[in-house]
């Protein structure tokens, strides 16, 4: 159910009042077909969408665990069976993550640059004396020095050690600044080859600043849930920005952008380790928060399947929403399958995978779905005249309920 353009300011104030109670409020966008950004297919990416005016962090957690994803305040659930490039939700168990030798090299290179013991220009001599951690020395054959990921990540922030550059990593609620927008514009033009005239402050805000989630404090710790920006600053200059959602069970990566002048640092890969480390720190304070969600995994797309390099990772089954090791999925992908499920037997159906069967939705189920009717009041959708008079409207409601599931549909308010 789309939001009317002539919604009065009085009605908007009523919505804001309800939002203050911590309710999730959405408008239904419905099904969509659009061009694929990966294989460039025409109208081959199929999804179902909603606009979230407000959303609790726990409701969004439940949605991404059903295959949903957000772009600003727009949430969408891809149809993995009909889309050209099926998008599988991927997550990493950070408490079981171990860096490989090649992954450690990325972190060490970044650290050495900050310390001043390495520079991409071979003509530039190190300004800081090489330390024992930078130069291999003869050690007994049974000597083992183990540094945790968190130790490695925070090494260049150690102010007791002399460094060429001052590195500052700051986590703050998502917000707009001219500096962030300038970095975004430079990144989009240089890396994604966007046209300058197509980049605007409004577009940046809608994509990477706006969020339906308000900050929520965890009950027993100082951890806050919500949408955040993690700023990477070197000598006072913003060189990278991570957009993340901190949720009750995970940190979800939304987007990452960096100054192309610093591409030699491999900041895209480095940011993954920085965010994994962040989850590990949070998990000591919030028992349930131990996973790192990297968005979607697309096996056929190199720009998306690199995420499988971080282990141990699981993919979400698109039908029953259970998690399975990525290796199990890969075995089927490598045999030529694009749509993979471990649900057995696979139900015969005419609706998207993972949806509740529309034929199973009863009148009692729909009576528990609420809509806003004005003057700060909500009512069952079955009480709306349009529900009885418009078959199209009723189908839209049923499709929405089937896409989010009954439990969420009975908690969320439709505007």
């Amino acid at each position: 159910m789309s939001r009317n353009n002539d919604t009065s300011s009085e009605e908007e104030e009523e919505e804001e009042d309800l939002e203050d109670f911590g309710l999730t409020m959405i408008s239904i966008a419905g099904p969509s077909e659009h061009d694929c950004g990966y294989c460039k297919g025409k109208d081959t990416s199929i999804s179902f969408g909603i606009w979230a005016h407000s959303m609790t962090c726990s409701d969004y957690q439940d949605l991404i665990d059903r295959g949903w994803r957000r772009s600003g305040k727009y949430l969408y659930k891809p149809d993995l069976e009909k889309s050209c490039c099926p998008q599988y939700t991927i997550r990493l168990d950070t408490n079981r993550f171990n860096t490989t030798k090649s992954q450690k090299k990325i972190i060490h290179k970044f650290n050495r640059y900050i310390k001043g013991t390495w520079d991409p220009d071979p003509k530039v001599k190190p300004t800081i004396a090489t330390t024992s951690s930078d130069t291999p020395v003869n050690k007994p054959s049974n000597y083992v020095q183990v540094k945790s990921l968190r130790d490695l990540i925070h090494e260049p922030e150690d102010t007791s050690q002399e460094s060429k550059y001052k590195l500052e990593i700051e986590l703050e609620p998502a917000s707009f600044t001219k500096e962030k927008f300038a970095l975004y514009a430079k990144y989009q033009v240089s890396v994604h080859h966007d046209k300058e005239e197509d980049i605007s402050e409004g577009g940046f805000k809608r994509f990477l600043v706006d969020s339906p989630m308000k900050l929520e404090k965890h009950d027993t710790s100082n951890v806050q849930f919500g949408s955040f920006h993690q700023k990477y600053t070197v000598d006072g200059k913003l060189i990278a920005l991570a957009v993340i959602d901190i949720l009750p069970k995970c940190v979800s990566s939304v987007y990452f952008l960096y100054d192309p002048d610093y591409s030699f640092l491999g900041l895209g890969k480095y940011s993954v380790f920085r965010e994994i480390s962040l989850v590990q720190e949070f998990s000591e304070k919030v028992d349930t928060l131990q996973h790192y969600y990297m968005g979607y995994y697309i096996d056929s797309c190199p720009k998306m399947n690199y995420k499988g390099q971080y282990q141990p990772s699981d993919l979400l089954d698109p039908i029953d929403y259970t998690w399975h090791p990525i290796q199990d999925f890969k075995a089927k992908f490598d045999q030529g399958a694009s749509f993979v499920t471990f649900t057995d037997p696979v139900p015969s159906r005419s609706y998207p995978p993972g949806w509740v069967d529309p034929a199973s939705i009863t009148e009692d189920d729909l009576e528990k779905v609420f809509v806003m009717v004005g003057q700060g009041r909500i009512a069952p959708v079955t009480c709306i005249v349009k529900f009885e008079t418009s078959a199209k409207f009723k189908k839209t409601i049923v499709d929405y309920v089937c896409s989010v599931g009954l439990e969420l549909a009975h908690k969320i308010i439709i505007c």
Side-chain angles (χ1 to χ4, degrees):
M1 181 167 59
S2 300
R3 186 189 184 96
N4 292 331
N5 292 329
D6 59 351
T7 301
S8 68
S9 59
E10 182 178 340
E11 289 174 327
E12 290 174 351
E13 289 176 3
E14 290 163 359
E15 286 184 22
E16 290 174 1
D17 289 340
L18 287 172
E19 290 172 12
D20 289 338
F21 283 101
L23 299 174
T24 294
M25 304 182 65
I26 64 96
S27 295
I28 303 171
S32 68
E33 299 178 0
H34 53 272
D35 297 350
C36 179
Y38 305 106
C39 71
K40 309 305 179 184
K42 185 72 173 176
D43 293 334
T44 54
S45 186
I46 316 298
S47 64
F48 191 90
I50 59 177
W51 286 99
H53 309 297
S54 67
M55 180 162 285
T56 66
C57 294
S58 60
D59 283 350
Y60 184 55
Q61 176 74 65
D62 290 342
L63 281 169
I64 63 174
D65 284 335
R66 292 180 62 89
W68 288 76
R69 196 82 184 149
R70 80 173 183 90
S71 175
K73 291 188 174 184
Y74 181 73
L75 279 70
Y76 59 99
K77 177 178 171 59
D79 184 332
L80 276 64
E81 203 165 29
K82 291 185 177 179
S83 292
C84 52
C85 299
Q87 303 169 61
Y88 293 82
T89 301
I90 184 170
R91 74 176 187 183
L92 170 75
D93 185 345
T94 62
N95 289 341
R96 295 166 53 213
F97 174 73
N98 287 308
T99 50
T100 64
K101 188 175 181 180
S102 61
Q103 290 170 345
K104 286 180 180 177
K105 284 183 178 179
I106 296 169
I107 303 172
H108 283 307
K109 182 172 72 171
F110 180 90
N111 291 353
R112 290 174 60 207
Y113 175 76
I114 296 298
K115 285 192 280 185
T117 60
W118 172 82
D119 193 276
D121 185 350
K123 296 179 182 179
V124 177
K125 295 182 179 180
T127 57
I128 305 296
T130 302
T131 65
S132 58
S133 63
D134 299 312
T135 304
V137 296
N138 294 325
K139 295 185 175 76
S141 59
N142 62 348
Y143 177 87
V144 177
Q145 182 182 25
V146 178
K147 278 192 174 183
S148 69
L149 172 63
R150 288 163 62 181
D151 289 337
L152 289 173
I153 283 293
H154 291 296
E155 193 175 280
E157 298 165 67
D158 184 357
T159 56
S160 66
Q161 300 291 325
E162 186 179 4
S163 293
K164 180 178 180 180
Y165 302 106
K166 181 181 180 182
L167 172 69
E168 294 178 285
I169 306 294
E170 183 180 359
L171 185 66
E172 64 180 27
S175 63
F176 174 85
T177 67
K178 293 286 187 180
E179 183 182 34
K180 291 177 183 177
F181 172 68
L183 178 64
Y184 167 76
K186 184 177 182 180
Y187 173 80
Q188 292 298 126
V189 170
S190 178
V191 177
H192 291 288
H193 310 295
D194 289 358
K195 296 179 180 179
E196 289 188 18
E197 57 267 28
D198 293 336
I199 300 172
S200 67
E201 291 185 357
F204 170 67
K205 290 176 183 177
R206 287 189 295 272
F207 180 33
L208 298 176
V209 178
D210 291 348
S211 169
M213 291 176 283
K214 293 184 178 180
L215 297 184
E216 301 174 13
K217 191 177 183 303
H218 181 245
D219 293 338
T220 59
S221 73
N222 61 353
V223 174
Q224 282 190 309
F225 303 137
S227 299
F228 291 82
H229 286 169
Q230 189 170 47
K231 300 193 300 182
Y232 294 59
T233 305
V234 173
D235 283 355
K237 178 184 179 182
L238 182 67
I239 68 163
L241 183 71
V243 184
I244 61 174
D245 292 328
I246 302 174
L247 303 173
K249 297 180 181 178
C250 73
V251 167
S252 175
S253 175
V254 177
Y255 203 68
F256 182 78
L257 54 111
Y258 59 86
D259 187 331
D261 294 344
Y262 291 81
S263 59
F264 59 86
L265 287 175
L267 289 169
K269 294 179 179 178
Y270 175 81
S271 69
V272 173
F273 306 120
R274 173 67 66 169
E275 290 166 24
I276 291 173
S277 174
L278 183 66
V279 181
Q280 291 175 342
E281 293 171 30
F282 285 149
S283 69
E284 293 183 350
K285 301 176 182 179
V286 182
D287 291 341
T288 58
L289 205 169
Q290 68 178 61
H291 286 98
Y292 175 51
Y293 285 45
M294 298 181 69
Y296 289 130
Y297 172 91
I298 301 176
D299 190 68
S300 60
C301 178
K303 291 183 179 180
M304 300 294 280
N305 64 22
Y306 76 92
K307 300 173 184 180
Q309 298 172 6
Y310 304 94
Q311 294 293 327
S313 285
D314 298 324
L315 298 186
L316 185 67
D317 189 293
I319 290 183
D320 66 6
Y321 304 124
T322 55
W323 295 95
H324 299 266
I326 192 172
Q327 292 85 351
D328 294 349
F329 277 85
K330 280 291 293 178
K332 295 192 176 187
F333 289 143
D334 292 345
Q335 292 174 0
S338 59
F339 176 74
V340 173
T341 177
F342 291 91
T343 303
D344 188 24
V346 178
S348 176
R349 55 193 158 66
S350 58
Y351 49 90
W355 280 34
V356 177
D357 184 351
S360 71
I361 301 297
T362 67
E363 198 74 10
D364 287 343
D365 292 330
L366 295 175
E367 285 178 357
K368 298 173 186 175
V369 177
F370 287 85
V371 296
M372 190 171 144
V373 293
Q375 297 181 350
R377 294 179 293 119
I378 58 175
V381 69
T382 52
C383 295
I384 305 298
V385 173
K386 195 174 182 181
F387 184 81
E388 295 296 336
T389 60
S390 171
K392 182 179 179 181
F393 177 82
K394 185 173 183 178
K395 183 181 185 305
T396 297
I397 296 296
V398 171
D399 285 350
Y400 154 72
V401 170
C402 292
S403 67
V404 301
L406 287 171
E407 184 176 349
L408 279 167
H410 293 163
K411 292 165 58 179
I412 296 173
I413 297 174
I414 303 172
C415 297

